[in-house]
Amino acid sequence: MQFGMPTLLELSTIEATALVCQRNNLSFIELNMNLPDYQAHAVDLKRFQNIRRDYRLDFTFHLEESFNPFDFNRLVRAAHMKTVKDTVRLAGKLEAKILNMHMSPGIYFTLPDRKTYLFEHHLPLYLDAVKGFRDELSYVLAEEDISISIENCGDFATRPYIARALELLLECDCFSLTFDIGHNASANYSDEPVINQYVDRLKHFHIHDELDGNNHLALGEGNINLPYYLKIAEQLGCRAVVEVKTLEGLERSICWLTEHGMIDNKN
């Protein structure tokens, strides 16, 4: 099974990140596009191609968490669509096969007794935007042999409009699922029944531990049954990002994976 690392703020260059990746016998780096250096327009293609070759690693992409191609404003939607198309073409040149994506819950109105999410309140408009995004992007994804992998963020069960949007996206083979086991745990495992409906569409995992609502802990420092989920990932042929936030947390996680025979780390 292949493991990868996330983008870490402590590592200021892609070369420093690649060195850590190689030193720990990891297979890929997930480039976080929330950061300016990893925007599609900012990436020096030749530099990244050389790093991929010299360090013998792959890339995946994590689209910005603000990414929202379903906005009611068509000009905003168009800007997000151009962003993702540019990213897909960049990913194709880097032979990256996964673009990880969060489903934006959208804007809500705070009423006296509840929060009302506008995507849910205007459900037909929202679902039309989801279908438009899926249909327009499917041609570009198929051309590059790339999948946009939808990550659970603890709201698949609590926001039915997101679950409905997920269903529509997965009607196209160019979309898949990322199973974030920490998000699932912090949501009292409520994402899992929805994910289990589409278990054959799982392509990617984000693994980190969780304890009392605290996410992105180093592996082995929380309450998640990690061997159980790693076995699922292995059986499905999925790769997994060790999605911690610090270099120290990554190193402790690598130790856990090594101790459990998941990584042969001789360094």
Side-chain angles (χ1 to χ4, degrees):
M1 181 176 170
Q2 292 187 336
F3 294 92
M5 65 176 287
T7 306
L8 300 175
L9 289 177
E10 296 163 83
L11 302 172
S12 58
T13 66
I14 185 59
E15 287 83 3
T17 305
L19 185 60
V20 169
C21 188
Q22 183 187 64
R23 189 177 70 211
N24 287 286
N25 290 329
L26 298 172
S27 301
F28 66 98
I29 299 167
E30 186 145 285
L31 302 174
N32 192 318
M33 299 185 72
N34 289 296
L35 297 172
D37 289 350
Y38 302 125
Q39 300 290 320
H41 69 272
V43 168
D44 181 334
L45 177 61
K46 190 67 175 175
R47 177 185 176 194
F48 278 66
Q49 287 175 328
N50 289 341
I51 287 169
R52 182 177 181 273
R53 180 198 65 215
D54 294 344
Y55 289 88
R56 289 175 294 180
L57 54 81
D58 289 322
F59 296 114
T60 58
F61 284 80
H62 193 308
L63 294 169
E64 300 98 317
E65 289 176 30
S66 60
F67 182 67
N68 181 12
F70 316 126
D71 196 283
F72 294 136
N73 186 316
R74 61 185 177 85
L75 297 178
V76 173
R77 285 205 305 272
H80 283 288
M81 182 62 78
K82 183 179 188 310
T83 296
V84 74
K85 285 182 178 178
D86 289 349
T87 304
V88 169
R89 293 188 180 103
L90 171 64
K93 291 172 183 174
L94 290 173
E95 299 183 50
K97 297 302 182 185
I98 294 286
L99 271 62
N100 188 80
M101 174 181 162
H102 288 193
M103 293 293 288
S104 172
I107 301 299
Y108 60 82
F109 278 20
T110 303
L111 302 179
D113 59 340
R114 67 189 185 282
K115 291 179 181 177
T116 295
Y117 284 83
L118 297 189
F119 283 163
E120 185 169 36
H121 191 69
H122 295 283
L123 187 61
L125 283 176
Y126 171 65
L127 295 180
D128 281 347
V130 171
K131 287 184 281 189
F133 171 74
R134 177 198 67 194
D135 295 345
E136 184 174 347
L137 200 57
S138 62
Y139 299 101
V140 183
L141 291 169
E143 189 174 72
E144 299 289 352
D145 189 26
I146 288 171
S147 176
I148 289 189
S149 199
I150 309 301
E151 177 184 348
N152 61 299
C153 293
D155 54 10
F156 280 1
T158 57
R159 297 193 178 115
Y161 64 96
I162 289 182
R164 177 65 182 126
L166 176 67
E167 180 184 3
L168 291 174
L169 292 176
L170 292 179
E171 288 176 357
C172 173
D173 290 340
C174 297
F175 290 85
S176 58
L177 271 173
T178 296
F179 194 170
D180 188 303
I181 65 173
H183 291 166
N184 179 52
S186 62
N188 294 317
Y189 297 88
S190 62
D191 284 338
E192 199 158 342
V194 177
I195 291 169
N196 285 339
Q197 294 178 41
Y198 309 106
V199 69
D200 60 320
R201 307 301 297 279
L202 279 169
K203 280 197 173 180
H204 201 50
F205 272 65
H206 282 177
I207 59 170
H208 47 96
D209 225 328
E210 185 272 349
L211 182 65
D212 299 330
N214 294 316
N215 253 308
H216 302 287
L217 301 180
L219 301 181
E221 297 184 1
N223 287 331
I224 297 178
N225 184 351
L226 297 170
Y228 170 77
Y229 291 104
L230 288 170
K231 185 68 173 177
I232 294 172
E234 184 177 26
Q235 288 174 340
L236 293 172
C238 297
R239 299 193 296 184
V241 180
V242 183
E243 201 189 27
V244 293
K245 300 301 182 181
T246 66
L247 185 55
E248 181 184 4
L250 179 66
E251 290 171 346
R252 293 201 304 271
S253 297
I254 296 300
C255 286
W256 187 94
L257 288 168
T258 303
E259 290 167 1
H260 287 77
M262 304 297 294
I263 288 180
D264 181 14
N265 198 333
K266 299 177 182 178
N267 299 318

